[in-house]
Amino acid sequence: MTPRLHLRCGDDLRCRLQRAGIAGEYLCFADPVCCGPAQDDGDLMAWLGMRARYVALHSGQDLAAVRLRLGREYTALGGLHRREAIWLWFEHDLWDQAALIRILSLLAEKRLLRGKLLLVPADGARCFPELSDGELAALQPAPLTDLQIEQAAEAWDAFAAPDPGALDALSRRELALPHLAAAMRRHLRDLPWTTDGLGEAERAVLRAVAAGAADEAAVFRAVGRADPAFHLTDLMVREVVGRLRLGPKRLVTPAAPLRPTPRGAAVLAGTERHRPAPRAHGGISVLPDPPWLWDPATAGTRRGA
């Protein structure tokens, strides 16, 4: 057996764990599955191609390099059974919870991993890098139960489905993974709303622009950490701003400084409704006349057009 492995959806703990005296090797799983398309029919090669195209397009990276990196990360998951233990460092927010259920969906049937997958506890408020070295060293991971792994795989199937009904129902249950339900509901809240056609992140960005955020950096400062369930990164802000700038009925001015267009101001005022550009939201298709909506009156999804 090879030593303990720390598995994390980013590189932000690679040096911190060593400094805190926490032994083990480190594996970064950096596929941002909470963003973009997540249609999954079980064909890993097709999945890697789809995700590489999305990540390369929205990060400005070379497609071949992204495909190679994602391939290495997913391939490494297949060798985890050779480890004595795998510590899973995933927090409460949507980015981490989506990555966690993606990983566990791929590992759910690997019996040699039973008892080796240990979840490091997150407090539901702070990110792990915000903890002191002493606080990190004091964390005691617990082995994942069969029920937790099964529910994670169930959640992934629902996340990747074209109909959000199963994910909506799952997010209303009391789940064995403590932060999963809230994260999945936050994902659903980025569907177009019945009230104005905006998803939650789009509305936050448009409000920040209306309040005077004149460029993407200012928007990021305004909204990046404002949402405890989904911390928007700078690249996410860029994507949302880009969406709101699209088309003849754009909500934000196409050139700097950023300002709401008259239509954007009307949507914020509730006198007009946004028609979103086509995009993939997990397994769900968002269209100008959305087939699925988030209804804040019922705090749930419903059919649209």
Side-chain angles (χ1 to χ4, degrees):
M1 288 290 178
T2 53
R4 175 196 302 164
L5 180 75
H6 299 288
L7 180 54
R8 169 78 169 153
C9 52
D11 267 324
D12 52 358
L13 289 181
R14 187 181 294 274
C15 296
R16 287 293 313 283
L17 297 184
Q18 295 178 5
R19 196 173 78 195
I22 303 173
E25 298 177 1
Y26 193 98
L27 175 62
C28 171
F29 178 88
D31 187 359
V33 292
C34 62
C35 304
Q39 297 88 353
D40 179 24
D41 62 2
D43 184 337
L44 185 57
M45 297 303 290
W47 168 267
L48 290 173
M50 175 184 69
R51 292 300 302 168
R53 288 189 294 274
Y54 173 80
V55 173
L57 177 63
H58 290 86
S59 65
Q61 299 178 60
D62 176 71
L63 175 58
V66 172
R67 173 64 178 78
L68 184 62
R69 175 180 61 77
L70 290 178
R72 285 197 302 264
E73 292 176 2
Y74 278 87
T75 298
L77 298 178
L80 294 183
H81 62 280
R82 293 189 287 269
R83 298 283 177 171
E84 293 177 358
I86 302 96
W87 286 23
L88 303 168
W89 294 83
F90 294 85
E91 293 144 6
H92 61 283
D93 59 88
L94 175 55
W95 181 293
D96 288 49
Q97 291 295 301
L100 178 61
I101 61 174
R102 178 52 175 150
I103 290 168
L104 293 181
S105 75
L106 296 169
L107 303 180
E109 301 302 322
K110 296 185 181 297
R111 297 296 170 181
L112 292 176
L113 284 172
R114 288 299 191 261
K116 293 184 178 185
L117 298 171
L118 291 86
L119 184 64
V120 180
D123 65 13
R126 295 178 297 171
C127 300
F128 289 127
E130 296 174 350
L131 305 183
S132 68
D133 290 350
E135 288 174 314
L136 285 174
L139 295 174
Q140 295 295 317
L144 285 176
T145 66
D146 287 349
L147 178 60
Q148 287 175 313
I149 295 171
E150 290 165 6
Q151 287 183 347
E154 178 188 358
W156 176 255
D157 286 344
F159 185 91
D163 181 333
L167 190 62
D168 191 342
L170 178 138
S171 72
R172 298 173 187 273
R173 290 160 40 193
E174 185 174 346
L175 301 177
L177 288 167
H179 306 296
L180 180 57
M184 294 299 99
R185 292 195 75 69
R186 177 60 187 82
H187 171 72
L188 293 173
R189 289 171 66 89
D190 263 330
L191 289 173
W193 284 34
T194 56
T195 52
D196 56 13
L198 294 168
E200 187 150 315
E202 293 169 335
R203 188 177 303 102
V205 166
L206 185 56
R207 284 175 174 168
V209 171
D215 55 33
E216 290 173 4
V219 173
F220 174 67
R221 289 192 296 271
V223 306
R225 295 300 302 275
D227 186 339
F230 193 22
H231 304 157
L232 295 180
T233 68
D234 54 349
L235 289 178
M236 290 179 192
V237 167
R238 177 172 298 171
E239 180 184 0
V240 174
V241 170
R243 273 190 235 153
L244 299 181
R245 283 173 154 172
L246 284 176
K249 295 186 176 181
R250 61 178 62 90
L251 305 187
V252 171
T253 52
L258 297 177
R259 293 192 183 93
T261 63
R263 182 174 177 80
V267 169
L268 279 180
T271 58
E272 292 195 37
R273 178 179 176 80
H274 178 50
R275 299 185 76 236
R279 63 183 173 91
H281 187 63
I284 307 164
S285 294
V286 173
L287 300 169
D289 294 310
W292 297 101
L293 299 163
W294 174 265
D295 186 350
T298 62
T301 58
R302 73 167 178 80
R303 287 190 179 275

